Amino acid sequence: MKKIITLIGFALLMSSCSNDGDTKNITISFENKIAGDRINLGTGNYQNTSNESYSIDELKYIISNIQLVKENGEVFTYPQDNSYFLINESEPESQIIVLNNVPAQDFQTLKFGIGIDQTNYPLNGVDNFVPTAEENQMLWSWSAGYIFFKIEGDFSIENESHQDNFLFHIGSHGTNLDNYKTVELSATQFDLDLTRKDLIAIETDISKLFNAVHDIRINDKSDIQVDPVNAPKIAENASQMFSLKPTHSTN
Amino acid sequence: MKLSLLIFCLYFCLACNSDEDTYVPISEDKALDFPQPDFFPQPVYDLDENPPTEKGFELGKKLFYDGRLSSTGVISCGFCHIQEFSFTHHTHEVSHGVNGALGTRNAQPLVNLAYFNEFSWDGAAPHLDAFSIIPITTDVEMNETVTNVLNKLESDEEYIDLFSIAFENGKVNTQNMFRALSQFMVMMVSADTKYDKVLEGNAVFTEAEAAGKALFDSKCSGCHEGILFTDQSYRNNGLPIDPRYNDIGRKRVTGLETDKYKFKVPSLRNIAVSLPYMHDGRFKTLKEVLDFYDSGVQLTENLDSVFQQSNSIGISLSETEKEQLIAFLNTLTDDNFLLDRRFSEF
């Protein structure tokens, strides 16, 4: 009798483990690079395709709404409430995010958003991201809105010694201007087989911010914030920065 | 054998770490009926997503009147939003925040917020649950951080208790704090004015009020439209630009030149008590407002076309017509709302 109860209890426990099979905690790392090297805040000097050189003092962005998709189309959505992350170049810990209880399966695509999806704002727990965003100055206090992507630094035009500041703060404000972007990374070159590994490495090529879909000449507008013309261009470029990198499998 | 099974079970228990153990609310809390007036549109605020309850409302009210939401400990929401004046900052042109810091705008009335789709004079907040970030963190208002506010609340037994009863997950967190404030504010429904009684057939307008209503319907209701007295659009009504603030209005939110100097059309419910008027509180009386519409409207960028119909700019009004309009506007005061004990601080 006792044995049966234990067995039933056991079966119940098993079924309470949502998916078919195991789950595991996985890690996603973000490396912000330019020309293959980690960027150096303050000291690194970089060139864009518009003959400008620039340095970066601050670089932060919000990653959200993480999903993993299998080849057969099955989607695993990471719990909405916990699916907001702030990547801050000056804080190495922030560049490694841990997802708990992810099905240990072979996935085909990784999807995520840059910023906060308007349909979720401020619902589904996104308000609970306010303290993190606030500590990192990723809130527009006057508009109750999030800054999705922030980069600040200095730039100069080629052959000119004069340096100036630049500052891009990209987000959505009001309901008219939506700069939320989604990214899809497919396991073509490198797999997303979570039966074999528990680390996904992502490289963020910051130089693409200045030339991917649009060419951005910093000197044309060096302060871009609430800007219905330029902010969407930066956001589109930002959505092109991410790529998967090889990682070793654990078994 | 048994032991190993147990250990096995335990292991799975921990490994699953699912949400199975969610907190089951003890029914100490009761749902509140939302006071939907018959002739109002459906609320915009999603009451199913955040249904007002007794304890949620009580928590929201406590937060609303708590100075600890500010850095100096004395500026509460209720400091700038005073009930008798339809939750405005009576006699203050622009708001006064911590240490007497001056803002640039007049505190808006908090009335019928459940029916609005965007908040603040320029629509900077797309949802009521997000609005409170603005006053809490603005340096000239409460000058505090949400993180600090949460820390203060977490060290207070009364708050811990209220949060735990009012919300299913029982947590003292940002979402629950903002939701509690929203529960308090969405219940502020005002629809018990003489105007409403006339609509219901329970009162009649005086001659002057009736004449005022006719004038209002023909000259004002294109913007101050319908039962809420606002179409919730953003318009430039031709106020001269005040160089002290040079407030660009809606353009701050959208970045569009075509939105420069546009402000949200305000509701006119309780207008007789929510002085001073306009986004910067520049007019002290309704007479001044009407004098402005009659002869003060300026041709600034994006002036609404309504004001440019004839060869003169504005809405020409005789002195009698102004008196009649004021008589009508005075029928929009809801004394029961202004004195409703449920919303009052003490």
Side-chain angles (χ1 to χ4, degrees):
Chain A
M1 182 58 197
K2 258 197 191 138
K3 220 181 198 166
I4 293 176
I5 292 175
T6 331
L7 264 172
I8 291 174
F10 184 51
L12 273 175
L13 279 171
M14 281 300 280
S15 61
S16 71
C17 283
S18 48
N19 297 284
D20 53 312
D22 295 340
T23 62
K24 55 158 73 169
N25 299 346
I26 65 154
T27 302
I28 307 182
S29 67
F30 288 84
E31 280 193 298
N32 298 319
K33 292 188 170 180
I34 289 177
D37 290 323
R38 299 265 344 201
I39 67 167
N40 287 311
L41 285 183
T43 53
N45 203 355
Y46 311 104
Q47 313 294 320
N48 66 18
T49 48
S50 307
N51 291 325
E52 295 170 316
S53 63
Y54 62 95
S55 59
I56 303 169
D57 297 326
E58 193 175 343
L59 174 70
K60 295 168 183 162
Y61 48 88
I62 293 172
I63 296 294
S64 64
N65 296 330
I66 298 176
Q67 290 187 318
L68 283 156
V69 188
K70 293 212 297 199
E71 195 150 26
N72 65 8
E74 232 176 83
V75 182
F76 168 74
T77 302
Y78 196 65
Q80 191 80 60
D81 296 22
N82 300 319
S83 206
Y84 300 99
F85 303 92
L86 186 113
I87 313 295
N88 180 351
E89 179 56 22
S90 69
E91 277 179 33
E93 322 85 77
S94 75
Q95 296 150 30
I96 296 173
I97 67 184
V98 177
L99 308 183
N100 298 316
N101 302 316
V102 177
Q105 292 168 22
D106 188 5
F107 290 101
Q108 187 55 36
T109 314
L110 170 68
K111 291 187 182 182
F112 57 86
I114 312 170
I116 308 286
D117 177 4
Q118 288 209 354
T119 58
N120 276 318
Y121 184 69
L123 309 169
N124 300 324
V126 59
D127 266 349
N128 292 329
F129 190 60
V130 165
T132 309
E134 180 181 71
E135 278 154 35
N136 289 281
Q137 288 91 44
M138 292 295 270
L139 279 182
W140 269 300
S141 66
W142 60 267
S143 86
Y146 289 94
I147 298 172
F148 301 168
F149 189 96
K150 187 180 210 175
I151 183 169
E152 293 184 17
D154 291 319
F155 77 103
S156 57
I157 304 165
E158 205 183 32
N159 302 327
E160 280 183 29
S161 57
H162 178 70
Q163 278 213 337
D164 246 323
N165 300 328
F166 77 96
L167 172 162
F168 300 161
H169 293 183
I170 311 302
S172 296
H173 14 79
T175 38
N176 297 348
L177 199 61
D178 189 0
N179 285 315
Y180 173 76
K181 290 281 175 280
T182 51
V183 176
E184 279 192 41
L185 302 177
S186 293
T188 40
Q189 213 179 338
F190 311 108
D191 67 67
L192 289 166
D193 185 354
L194 302 184
T195 62
R196 297 189 304 115
K197 59 165 134 190
D198 41 28
L199 171 66
I200 298 174
I202 292 176
E203 180 178 316
T204 313
D205 180 356
I206 300 300
S207 70
K208 291 217 170 125
L209 205 59
F210 302 98
N211 89 310
V213 191
H214 307 276
D215 280 328
I216 303 294
R217 214 173 142 251
I218 306 175
N219 198 42
D220 287 343
K221 196 149 192 288
S222 55
D223 181 337
I224 298 178
Q225 299 190 61
V226 181
D227 183 328
V229 178
N230 295 297
K233 290 185 185 166
I234 309 268
E236 260 178 74
N237 280 357
S239 71
Q240 306 294 313
M241 299 189 305
F242 301 90
S243 59
L244 288 174
K245 285 292 146 228
T247 50
H248 298 291
S249 45
T250 42
N251 54 1
Chain B
M1 170 60 195
K2 247 186 213 152
L3 196 73
S4 62
L5 246 182
L6 247 173
I7 291 173
F8 200 33
C9 280
L10 255 174
Y11 170 77
F12 267 97
C13 245
L14 294 172
C16 289
N17 183 25
S18 66
D19 292 338
E20 232 59 4
D21 58 341
T22 40
Y23 172 76
V24 184
I26 321 151
S27 52
E28 282 176 73
D29 202 4
K30 280 209 246 26
L32 287 180
D33 279 334
F34 180 75
Q36 171 71 14
D38 290 340
F39 38 88
F40 268 38
Q42 282 307 302
V44 174
Y45 191 85
D46 190 343
L47 295 162
D48 295 330
E49 179 78 31
N50 180 26
T53 63
E54 254 171 33
K55 291 292 172 184
F57 180 92
E58 185 185 329
L59 173 58
K61 179 172 170 177
K62 189 171 161 65
L63 289 164
F64 190 86
Y65 287 114
D66 192 340
R68 281 179 293 175
L69 266 61
S70 70
S71 61
T72 54
V74 289
I75 307 293
S76 66
C77 309
F79 176 83
C80 294
H81 296 286
I82 305 169
Q83 186 183 6
E84 297 119 274
F85 310 109
S86 199
F87 293 98
T88 59
H89 206 179
H90 190 56
T91 72
H92 288 77
E93 289 173 24
V94 292
S95 60
H96 290 215
V98 290
N99 301 322
L102 285 181
T104 60
R105 290 189 183 162
N106 185 238
Q108 287 169 292
L110 306 182
V111 178
N112 299 331
L113 294 176
Y115 302 91
F116 291 170
N117 44 38
E118 290 174 328
F119 302 89
S120 95
W121 279 106
D122 53 18
H127 196 291
L128 191 57
D129 292 2
F131 184 86
S132 300
I133 296 170
I134 301 178
I136 291 174
T137 59
T138 299
D139 52 354
V140 294
E141 294 186 0
M142 302 168 101
N143 191 28
E144 186 48 292
T145 66
V146 175
T147 313
N148 276 346
V149 170
L150 287 174
N151 287 339
K152 291 185 225 177
L153 302 182
E154 270 166 352
S155 60
D156 182 316
E157 287 296 332
E158 257 182 73
Y159 272 119
I160 296 173
D161 282 353
L162 277 170
F163 274 96
S164 74
I165 304 168
F167 291 101
E168 223 167 277
N169 66 20
K171 286 187 190 150
V172 180
N173 64 22
T174 320
Q175 172 157 309
N176 290 344
M177 170 168 73
F178 290 168
R179 286 191 164 191
L181 279 165
S182 290
Q183 288 188 24
F184 179 59
M185 292 190 287
V186 294
M187 293 298 284
M188 295 176 180
V189 174
S190 171
D192 194 14
T193 66
K194 177 161 187 191
Y195 174 85
D196 299 299
K197 293 197 177 91
V198 173
L199 270 188
E200 288 162 341
N202 295 329
V204 278
F205 283 136
T206 64
E207 221 169 281
E209 289 164 357
K213 169 150 195 321
L215 283 166
F216 189 87
D217 287 346
S218 72
K219 296 181 192 285
C220 317
S221 67
C223 300
H224 301 285
E225 183 191 77
I227 199 79
L228 297 169
F229 293 87
T230 169
D231 64 357
Q232 304 198 42
S233 65
Y234 301 87
R235 315 248 198 165
N236 176 3
N237 70 344
L239 293 169
I241 310 308
D242 186 332
R244 280 180 299 172
Y245 312 125
N246 194 22
D247 196 330
I248 55 174
R250 179 77 176 151
K251 186 189 165 195
R252 184 173 71 154
V253 176
T254 63
L256 296 170
E257 279 307 316
T258 48
D259 281 334
K260 199 170 175 186
Y261 303 138
K262 289 185 183 172
F263 292 85
K264 185 155 169 205
V265 174
S267 167
L268 300 180
R269 284 185 172 270
N270 297 312
I271 194 70
V273 299
S274 66
L275 61 142
Y277 302 113
M278 304 298 169
H279 68 266
D280 53 8
R282 65 176 70 192
F283 300 131
K284 286 182 193 59
T285 63
L286 288 172
K287 176 69 168 52
E288 281 176 53
V289 171
L290 296 180
D291 288 342
F292 154 75
Y293 276 123
D294 176 35
S295 59
V297 174
Q298 305 247 318
L299 185 58
T300 52
E301 257 169 271
N302 304 314
L303 175 66
D304 203 278
S305 57
V306 171
F307 300 108
Q308 309 184 55
Q309 307 235 319
S310 49
N311 31 9
S312 69
I313 283 174
I315 304 174
S316 75
L317 296 166
S318 70
E319 291 307 303
T320 322
E321 286 175 323
K322 289 178 195 167
E323 277 162 31
Q324 291 166 335
L325 272 170
I326 290 172
F328 171 68
L329 292 173
N330 283 333
T331 69
L332 300 178
T333 307
D334 180 348
D335 288 321
N336 291 333
F337 172 76
L338 301 175
L339 299 173
D340 192 332
R341 293 289 306 275
R342 286 178 304 158
F343 304 119
S344 61
E345 183 165 11
F346 303 109

